[in-house]
Amino acid sequence: YFGMKRVPSAEQAEVQILVLTQPADEGKKQTYYDELIRTLNACKKKGQLVILIDAGNGRYGTAFHDALVKKAALGGLLSYAGFLDMAIVTGTALSHGAARYAHLVLGQTSQSEEAAFQKTLADSIIKDFCYKNVVREDILSYVRNELGGDPNNFCNLELDITARLETGMEQAAAPVLKNLERSRMCIRLTDGAAETARWGTVSLSGYRFPWYRAFEIDMDITLGPLTQ
């Protein structure tokens, strides 16, 4: 796939695929995600790119995401997918990661191409970490209990709910945006050596419910220029 092939050992790899599965032992959840984060940061030190898949299906609550925000550089990921079922997250993460890897190996890029990648990665992370795992629960409760509405069809209540969404996302997304802004991302691979650049500013606006239901949101992502 795009010339990618499996290598005999992890040390030889340019790309690592890290997957957090559902916990075999509920009492060891922190051990599992701490080990994954240690491996992720070790890959970063060795210059290996990482495709990250969260296949925990919500079993870790917000703990795994909170730990990633505190201990890892999310903007350095090759791709990320999580929250949904394994078939969806695997296909999303692998296809996005393989396409980005091929782009990096090609070595030709532009400001618009880099911005498109940044927005794709940021969109996946922010919607999983901030909306699906935090703010959506508040929206579901607000629609049902305070507005007496249906979370799957609230066309007539959209203005009230969007205001609630904006307030919740502003708070939930703040640490994630700071994480992205301090990250470095690979912009070119030459004989396995990565050239990197630092993310610029990241801001969110235009929150909306495209289908007038709580299941998904959309938003506008504005980026500052990359820096060396």
Side-chain angles (χ1 to χ4, degrees):
Y1 193 57
F2 285 130
M4 299 177 75
K5 60 182 180 181
R6 190 170 185 175
V7 292
S9 71
E11 295 300 320
Q12 296 174 269
E14 291 183 351
V15 177
Q16 292 271 24
I17 302 170
L18 303 184
V19 184
L20 183 69
T21 59
Q22 295 185 42
D25 183 337
E26 290 288 331
K28 295 182 178 179
K29 289 192 288 189
Q30 183 172 349
T31 301
Y32 298 146
Y33 67 69
D34 278 347
E35 180 59 30
L36 182 143
I37 294 172
R38 281 194 292 271
T39 303
L40 171 61
N41 288 331
C43 289
K44 177 185 175 183
K45 290 182 179 179
K46 291 185 287 188
Q48 293 177 321
L49 301 172
V50 172
I51 293 172
L52 178 59
I53 299 174
D54 177 2
N57 199 29
R59 296 277 295 279
Y60 296 87
T62 62
F64 175 47
H65 294 162
D66 291 344
L68 280 170
V69 171
K70 292 175 182 176
K71 300 177 182 179
L74 298 171
L77 294 173
L78 193 62
S79 65
Y80 165 82
F83 196 82
L84 299 173
D85 64 71
M86 190 63 183
I88 295 175
V89 299
T90 302
T92 300
L94 293 182
S95 60
H96 286 189
R100 178 62 180 174
Y101 175 75
H103 177 79
L104 294 172
V105 171
L106 181 64
Q108 299 176 5
T109 191
S110 67
Q111 183 177 349
S112 61
E113 288 172 306
E114 296 307 313
F117 166 72
Q118 288 177 273
K119 288 182 178 181
T120 298
L121 180 62
D123 186 87
S124 295
I125 291 170
I126 293 165
K127 286 178 179 176
D128 270 15
F129 286 37
C130 307
Y131 181 66
K132 293 178 182 176
N133 220 16
V134 180
V135 177
R136 185 166 69 175
E137 293 304 310
D138 175 67
I139 294 294
L140 289 170
S141 175
Y142 179 63
V143 173
R144 289 178 180 139
N145 301 328
E146 296 189 37
L147 300 181
D150 180 356
N152 293 312
N153 184 0
F154 47 69
C155 180
N156 295 330
L157 302 171
E158 185 191 9
L159 291 179
D160 290 337
I161 301 170
T162 301
R164 182 88 170 199
L165 170 65
E166 290 173 351
T167 300
M169 287 296 292
E170 182 177 355
Q171 179 177 353
V176 177
L177 298 181
K178 288 182 179 179
N179 181 292
L180 292 172
E181 291 173 349
R182 64 176 169 81
S183 298
R184 297 190 68 85
M185 57 181 272
C186 181
I187 58 173
R188 187 175 291 104
L189 275 176
T190 306
D191 297 326
E195 178 184 343
T196 66
R198 186 185 180 94
W199 281 61
T201 57
V202 186
S203 59
L204 308 177
S205 61
Y207 293 108
R208 53 199 179 272
F209 295 96
W211 307 112
Y212 305 109
R213 62 180 187 174
F215 183 78
E216 69 276 280
I217 64 168
D218 205 354
M219 61 196 172
D220 298 322
I221 301 174
T222 303
L223 302 170
L226 294 171
T227 62
Q228 294 300 318

